[in-house]
Amino acid sequence: MYAITTDQITRNLPEAIITHLPDSWFPGAQSDQSLFTSFFEWLSRTVTTITQDEIRSTTFIGKQLFKKLVQQEKNRLTQQQGFHGDHLDEHVAWTLLEYSSLTSIGNCYISDDSIVVVPINSLARLLNLADDIYQKKHRLHIARIRKSAHGHNFYAWMLTQTQRPDDIGDLARYMSLDEFWPTQLANIEELEAYLDAQSPKGLFHQELAAAWAEYLQQYPQRRENCCSVTLP
């Protein structure tokens, strides 16, 4: 994911509302309900041009603020509900599952602690803007890696293969879109283990083996890192 700034949002969507949650709000938040429930109650009173029914689906918050809200909710569960250990972790996990989408505008995120609210009829334009920003930044990222990929590791080499119309190209495109891909791994067994942890077991294994073999044909000095692939 790539960052989107509030300046980019307001420049393209002047109707967007940018606000911030004051630090003084936290001590006064109700302790008998979820902090996120209290947050949306405050936001509905602050942003009166958006209806309560719409505000939940048209609000996005920066990662810094989200982390602060989650930590405060964790503190509330500990102090008011007496949750600890696995019980606390379970409730925090449910909170993350329910609200983590607030930090994502398509494939982009707000890096600071801003709150962005848009009218419901502007939501599609905001998502299109985020997609345009993501695509431009991703193309630049791929171009930079391609420019310096000669002799680099397997991941960098694979990013030069994203335009191929074959199975290796499919894997390369999958890798390029995975922001958590272990870019420094140089062992095929470890790469297979990562794939199995992220997707159905065996997915892309054949493509990975073919790509690994082709990569080692181009860079035979790295042959010692190939453990299970039989090379021609």
Side-chain angles (χ1 to χ4, degrees):
M1 297 182 76
Y2 297 102
I4 184 173
T5 68
T6 52
D7 285 343
Q8 289 173 313
I9 294 172
T10 54
R11 189 164 57 247
N12 290 274
L13 284 84
E15 68 274 23
I17 300 165
I18 311 296
T19 188
H20 295 83
L21 184 66
D23 288 336
S24 59
W25 175 84
F26 286 95
Q30 288 184 239
S31 61
D32 59 348
Q33 64 181 13
S34 164
L35 204 73
F36 284 89
T37 300
S38 298
F39 166 74
F40 278 108
E41 290 177 352
W42 169 85
L43 191 61
S44 295
R45 294 192 299 269
T46 303
V47 182
T48 57
T49 56
I50 309 294
T51 67
Q52 286 189 346
D53 292 337
E54 294 178 353
I55 203 164
R56 174 65 178 82
S57 59
T58 60
T59 295
F60 304 90
I61 65 178
K63 281 191 171 184
Q64 295 178 21
L65 175 58
F66 182 74
K67 289 179 180 179
K68 187 182 294 186
L69 286 168
V70 170
Q71 183 58 53
Q72 292 296 327
E73 173 65 0
K74 189 174 182 179
N75 294 343
R76 185 191 72 84
L77 290 170
T78 300
Q79 296 167 7
Q80 301 298 325
Q81 305 295 327
F83 292 165
H84 297 279
D86 291 343
H87 199 191
L88 175 63
D89 291 342
E90 180 181 349
H91 278 77
V92 172
W94 278 109
T95 297
L96 292 172
L97 183 65
E98 183 173 1
Y99 293 106
S100 60
S101 61
L102 291 171
T103 64
S104 301
I105 304 177
N107 285 318
C108 292
Y109 65 90
I110 305 167
S111 59
D112 60 13
D113 61 354
S114 298
I115 303 167
V116 177
V117 186
V118 297
I120 191 71
N121 58 4
S122 298
L123 185 58
R125 288 172 53 218
L126 176 62
L127 294 174
N128 287 337
L129 171 64
D131 185 62
D132 287 344
I133 290 172
Y134 174 83
Q135 294 296 338
K136 289 176 182 177
K137 289 188 175 183
H138 191 62
R139 284 195 295 269
L140 287 173
H141 172 69
I142 297 297
R144 282 195 298 268
I145 293 178
R146 281 178 175 168
K147 188 175 180 180
S148 59
H150 180 73
H152 280 207
N153 66 14
F154 177 69
Y155 176 77
W157 178 80
M158 281 295 288
L159 291 186
T160 69
Q161 312 299 312
T162 55
Q163 301 303 313
R164 291 173 57 157
D166 59 7
D167 290 345
I168 291 177
D170 290 341
L171 174 59
R173 287 184 286 276
Y174 176 87
M175 290 171 58
S176 74
L177 295 173
D178 184 354
E179 61 179 312
F180 300 110
W181 185 272
T183 60
Q184 300 304 314
L185 283 186
N187 181 289
I188 191 171
E189 276 78 11
E190 292 176 338
L191 291 171
E192 288 174 341
Y194 175 79
L195 282 172
D196 288 343
Q198 304 301 314
S199 52
K201 190 173 180 64
L203 181 68
F204 282 127
H205 277 212
Q206 290 184 345
E207 293 86 344
L208 177 62
W212 189 262
E214 187 173 322
Y215 168 67
L216 291 181
Q217 284 180 331
Q218 291 191 28
Y219 302 104
Q221 70 274 19
R222 306 195 180 169
R223 187 177 296 261
E224 65 273 11
N225 289 323
C226 179
C227 299
S228 62
V229 176
T230 301
L231 297 176

